[in-house]
Amino acid sequence: MASRPIYAELSDELIRDIRSGTYPVGSLLPTELEIAAERRLSRATVRAALNRLVALGLVTRQKGVGTRVNAAEPRPYDASTTSLEELAHFGRATLREVISTAEIVADDSLARRLGCRPGSRWIDVSVIRRDPAGAAPPICWTDNYIDAAYAGVVDDVAGHPGLIADLIARHYGVEVDEVRQIIRPVRLSETAARATSAEAGEPALEIVRRYLSVGRPVYISVSQHPGDRFEYSMSLKRTGRA
């Protein structure tokens, strides 16, 4: 994968410092000038890094006061169809069973499906999700394509109920800023059908989620749900704005 922008590396370093307590909640970060001078960076690069922290809900910036730490963890935020908080809840409420792990290189067909570059390298961790409350058939089959640069998290996937993005942040300090999700109708693949005790070719819903850090995917999940095991609901409220 291409190298990450300097401002992204700097913002991830500041996030680690906030989490560790180097800059506790309520404290002020060094000024733009101080950070730029210490790291020999341009003020524009430092400003972009600090703006990313604002977007994550970690700090606020006020002219004449400085950059104040508001939280030790990035806030949950809404995507177009769901939120990271809801995705994490799904992970905690179901059991993840790892079926296989393989290192792959994306060919043209897979690259189109994932929305990534042909030739990019991934670790495919294939899992099924089960309801821990009973012996019902598995809920879905999921291929988790983890950027090969973060292969060190693979061994922890089976024992981690939450988001793989959290593992990547914990191990590598790389924060996910955005999740782009596509839900589309498909025919259930033979692999997913065998794993979920369903019929190959029956109607299913495929959910592709691309977990992005400063616009680049750190991992991509592709889940297939047999048609009778998926329900999506949402509530729309008036905002009060004209």
Side-chain angles (χ1 to χ4, degrees):
M1 291 289 177
S3 60
R4 304 180 75 236
I6 295 174
Y7 83 87
E9 298 289 351
L10 173 59
S11 61
D12 284 341
E13 180 182 338
L14 292 171
I15 291 170
R16 290 193 293 271
D17 288 341
I18 291 171
R19 279 179 164 154
S20 70
T22 301
Y23 302 118
V25 173
S27 68
L28 293 174
L29 296 182
T31 66
E32 277 186 17
L33 281 173
E34 290 170 339
I35 296 174
E38 180 184 351
R39 292 168 171 80
R40 298 182 180 179
L41 299 172
S42 70
R43 287 191 67 181
T45 296
V46 175
R47 188 175 301 117
L50 294 176
N51 286 341
R52 185 172 180 236
L53 299 190
V54 172
L56 290 170
L58 290 167
V59 304
T60 55
R61 308 193 71 196
Q62 184 176 348
K63 188 174 182 179
V65 176
T67 304
R68 188 175 301 279
V69 179
N70 283 343
E73 294 290 339
R75 66 186 173 205
Y77 56 89
D78 287 336
S80 59
T81 55
T82 188
S83 71
L84 279 181
E85 188 175 41
E86 289 168 343
L87 295 181
H89 173 74
F90 174 76
R92 291 190 295 269
T94 59
L95 296 178
R96 177 192 282 140
E97 180 182 335
V98 175
I99 304 301
S100 64
T101 301
E103 185 171 350
I104 64 169
V105 177
D107 59 16
D108 290 343
S109 175
L110 181 60
R112 285 193 299 271
R113 188 183 186 202
L114 299 183
C116 68
R117 292 184 297 104
S120 52
R121 304 183 69 85
W122 304 88
I123 309 297
D124 178 11
V125 182
S126 300
V127 308
I128 55 175
R129 288 281 190 179
R130 294 184 181 276
D131 181 349
I139 298 167
C140 66
W141 168 271
T142 302
D143 286 299
N144 295 285
Y145 297 95
I146 301 170
D147 182 344
Y150 310 121
V153 306
V154 169
D155 289 342
D156 294 334
V157 168
H160 179 70
L163 297 175
I164 292 175
D166 294 338
L167 288 176
I168 293 173
R170 184 187 308 165
H171 283 257
Y172 294 95
V174 175
E175 293 290 336
V176 166
D177 304 298
E178 180 184 3
V179 181
R180 296 179 186 170
Q181 176 172 270
I182 297 173
I183 303 176
R184 56 197 176 200
V186 297
R187 295 290 183 181
L188 196 64
S189 70
E190 291 186 6
T191 299
R194 287 195 301 270
T196 57
S197 302
E199 292 293 330
E202 72 174 67
L205 282 175
E206 181 171 271
I207 304 175
V208 179
R209 295 188 180 108
R210 303 176 71 240
Y211 293 76
L212 307 177
S213 179
V214 292
R216 293 185 174 90
V218 297
Y219 92 95
I220 303 167
S221 68
V222 181
S223 300
Q224 287 198 351
H225 296 251
D228 61 348
R229 300 175 210 172
F230 184 89
E231 179 181 276
Y232 176 73
S233 63
M234 65 186 300
S235 174
L236 302 177
K237 296 181 180 180
R238 296 183 183 273
T239 63
R241 296 192 297 269

